[in-house]
């Protein structure tokens, strides 16, 4: 679960980081709000689009497990991890 949250945050922040790098290449100060104010809406939309597209791609392309799930249990004093049958 933590990996999914971190991945979503990184994908959301990606357009902001790229725009900051663009400002550095153009020799502008990326810490001034005047450079960000006109672009903040579009950067937010781009970040949200990246997150939504990654969720859709994960849902469509992720490997599916078939069969019944057997949860973790103890047999004869040994812990048997959960698995699909």
């Amino acid at each position: 679960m933590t990996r999914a949250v971190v991945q979503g945050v990184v994908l959301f922040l990606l357009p902001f980081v790229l725009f900051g790098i663009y400002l550095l290449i153009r020799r502008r100060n990326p810490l001034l709000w005047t450079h960000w104010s006109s672009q903040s809406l579009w950067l937010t939309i781009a970040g949200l689009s990246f997150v939504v597209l990654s969720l859709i791609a994960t849902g469509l392309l992720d490997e599916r497990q078939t069969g019944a799930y057997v949860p973790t249990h103890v047999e004869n004093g040994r812990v048997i991890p959960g698995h699909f049958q």
Side-chain angles (χ1 to χ4, degrees):
M1 182 66 185
T2 303
R3 181 184 62 86
V5 171
V6 170
Q7 181 181 358
V9 169
V10 168
L11 285 173
F12 176 75
L13 293 177
L14 184 64
F16 294 93
V17 171
L18 292 176
F19 186 68
I21 292 171
Y22 168 76
L23 289 176
L24 287 173
I25 291 172
R26 298 282 304 211
R27 298 187 187 270
R28 295 183 180 163
N29 185 356
L31 300 178
L32 293 177
W33 175 248
T34 57
H35 299 304
W36 294 87
S37 63
S38 62
Q39 302 300 325
S40 61
L41 176 66
W42 295 110
L43 293 171
T44 303
I45 291 171
L48 290 174
S49 298
F50 283 156
V51 172
V52 169
L53 288 174
S54 74
L55 292 173
I56 291 171
T58 301
L60 292 175
L61 302 175
D62 203 17
E63 181 180 331
R64 302 275 191 254
Q65 297 292 337
T66 57
Y69 178 74
V70 178
T72 303
H73 59 281
V74 177
E75 284 184 10
N76 300 325
R78 292 184 47 221
V79 176
I80 309 297
H83 60 279
F84 287 93
Q85 281 187 344

